[in-house]
Coordinates of all heavy atoms in Angstrom, one line a residue:
F256 N 34.5 58.8 110.9 CA 34.0 60.0 111.6 C 32.9 60.7 110.9 O 32.9 60.7 109.7 CB 35.2 61.0 111.8 CG 36.0 60.8 113.0 CD1 37.0 59.8 113.0 CD2 35.9 61.5 114.2 CE1 37.9 59.6 114.1 CE2 36.7 61.3 115.3 CZ 37.7 60.4 115.2
H257 N 32.0 61.3 111.6 CA 30.9 62.0 111.0 C 31.3 63.4 110.5 O 30.9 63.8 109.4 CB 29.7 62.2 112.0 CG 29.0 60.9 112.3 ND1 29.5 60.0 113.2 CD2 27.8 60.4 111.7 CE1 28.6 59.0 113.2 NE2 27.6 59.1 112.4
A258 N 32.1 64.1 111.3 CA 32.4 65.5 111.0 C 33.7 65.9 111.5 O 34.3 65.3 112.5 CB 31.3 66.4 111.5
M259 N 34.3 66.9 110.9 CA 35.4 67.7 111.4 C 34.9 69.0 111.9 O 34.3 69.8 111.2 CB 36.5 67.9 110.4 CG 37.7 68.7 110.9 SD 38.7 69.3 109.5 CE 39.4 67.8 108.9
F260 N 35.0 69.2 113.2 CA 34.4 70.4 113.9 C 35.6 71.3 114.1 O 36.5 71.0 114.9 CB 33.8 70.0 115.2 CG 33.0 71.0 115.9 CD1 31.6 71.1 115.8 CD2 33.6 72.0 116.7 CE1 30.9 72.1 116.5 CE2 32.9 72.9 117.4 CZ 31.6 73.0 117.3
I261 N 35.6 72.5 113.5 CA 36.8 73.4 113.5 C 36.5 74.6 114.3 O 35.6 75.4 114.0 CB 37.1 73.8 112.1 CG1 37.1 72.6 111.1 CG2 38.5 74.5 112.1 CD1 37.4 73.0 109.6
A262 N 37.2 74.7 115.5 CA 37.1 75.8 116.4 C 37.8 77.1 115.8 O 38.5 77.0 114.8 CB 37.7 75.5 117.7
D263 N 37.5 78.2 116.4 CA 38.2 79.4 115.9 C 38.1 80.5 117.0 O 37.2 80.5 117.9 CB 37.5 80.0 114.7 CG 38.3 81.1 114.0 OD1 39.5 81.0 114.0 OD2 37.7 82.0 113.3
T264 N 39.1 81.4 117.0 CA 39.1 82.6 117.8 C 39.4 83.8 116.9 O 40.1 83.6 115.9 CB 40.0 82.6 119.0 OG1 41.4 82.4 118.5 CG2 39.7 81.4 120.0
L265 N 39.1 85.0 117.3 CA 39.3 86.2 116.5 C 40.3 87.1 117.2 O 40.5 88.2 116.7 CB 38.0 86.9 116.2 CG 37.0 86.2 115.3 CD1 35.7 86.9 115.2 CD2 37.6 85.9 114.0
G266 N 41.0 86.6 118.2 CA 42.0 87.4 118.9 C 42.9 86.5 119.7 O 42.6 85.3 119.9
P267 N 44.1 86.9 120.0 CA 45.0 86.1 120.8 C 44.6 86.0 122.3 O 43.9 86.8 122.8 CB 46.4 86.8 120.7 CG 46.0 88.3 120.5 CD 44.7 88.2 119.7
Y268 N 45.1 84.9 123.0 CA 45.0 84.8 124.4 C 46.1 85.6 125.1 O 47.2 85.1 125.2 CB 45.0 83.3 124.8 CG 43.8 82.6 124.4 CD1 42.8 83.1 123.6 CD2 43.5 81.3 124.9 CE1 41.6 82.4 123.3 CE2 42.4 80.6 124.6 CZ 41.4 81.1 123.8 OH 40.3 80.5 123.4
D269 N 45.8 86.8 125.4 CA 46.9 87.8 125.9 C 46.7 88.3 127.3 O 47.2 89.3 127.6 CB 46.9 88.9 124.8 CG 45.6 89.7 124.8 OD1 44.7 89.4 125.5 OD2 45.6 90.7 124.0
V270 N 45.9 87.6 128.1 CA 45.6 88.1 129.5 C 46.8 87.7 130.4 O 47.2 88.5 131.2 CB 44.3 87.5 130.0 CG1 44.1 87.8 131.5 CG2 43.1 87.9 129.2
Y271 N 47.3 86.5 130.3 CA 48.4 86.0 131.2 C 49.6 86.9 131.0 O 50.1 87.1 129.8 CB 48.7 84.5 130.9 CG 49.7 83.9 131.7 CD1 49.6 83.8 133.1 CD2 50.9 83.4 131.1 CE1 50.6 83.2 133.9 CE2 51.9 82.8 131.9 CZ 51.7 82.7 133.2 OH 52.7 82.1 134.0
R272 N 50.2 87.3 132.1 CA 51.4 88.2 132.1 C 51.1 89.5 131.3 O 52.0 90.1 130.7 CB 52.6 87.5 131.5 CG 53.0 86.3 132.4 CD 54.4 85.8 132.0 NE 54.8 84.6 132.7 CZ 55.3 84.5 133.9 NH1 55.5 85.6 134.6 NH2 55.6 83.4 134.5
G273 N 49.8 89.9 131.2 CA 49.4 91.0 130.4 C 49.4 92.3 131.2 O 50.1 92.4 132.2
P274 N 48.7 93.3 130.6 CA 47.7 93.1 129.6 C 48.3 93.1 128.2 O 49.4 93.5 127.9 CB 46.9 94.4 129.8 CG 47.8 95.4 130.3 CD 48.8 94.7 131.2
A275 N 47.5 92.5 127.3 CA 47.8 92.5 125.8 C 49.2 92.0 125.6 O 50.0 92.5 124.8 CB 47.6 93.9 125.2
N276 N 49.5 90.8 126.1 CA 50.8 90.2 126.0 C 50.7 88.8 125.3 O 50.2 87.9 125.9 CB 51.5 90.0 127.4 CG 52.9 89.5 127.3 OD1 53.5 89.4 126.2 ND2 53.4 89.1 128.4
V277 N 51.2 88.7 124.1 CA 51.1 87.4 123.4 C 52.3 86.5 123.6 O 52.4 85.4 123.2 CB 50.9 87.6 121.9 CG1 49.6 88.4 121.6 CG2 52.1 88.3 121.2
D278 N 53.3 87.0 124.3 CA 54.6 86.3 124.4 C 54.4 84.9 125.0 O 55.0 83.9 124.6 CB 55.6 87.1 125.3 CG 56.2 88.3 124.5 OD1 55.9 88.4 123.3 OD2 56.9 89.1 125.1
P279 N 53.5 84.7 126.1 CA 53.4 83.4 126.7 C 52.9 82.3 125.7 O 53.0 81.1 126.0 CB 52.5 83.6 127.8 CG 52.7 85.1 128.2 CD 52.9 85.7 126.9
V280 N 52.2 82.7 124.6 CA 51.6 81.6 123.8 C 52.5 81.3 122.6 O 52.3 80.4 121.8 CB 50.2 82.1 123.2 CG1 49.3 82.3 124.3 CG2 50.3 83.3 122.3

Side-chain angles (χ1 to χ4, degrees):
F256 274 80
H257 290 82
M259 178 191 292
F260 188 100
I261 313 175
D263 192 30
T264 60
L265 295 175
Y268 286 10
D269 61 357
V270 173
Y271 180 62
R272 299 192 186 278
N276 182 13
V277 301
D278 287 354
V280 302

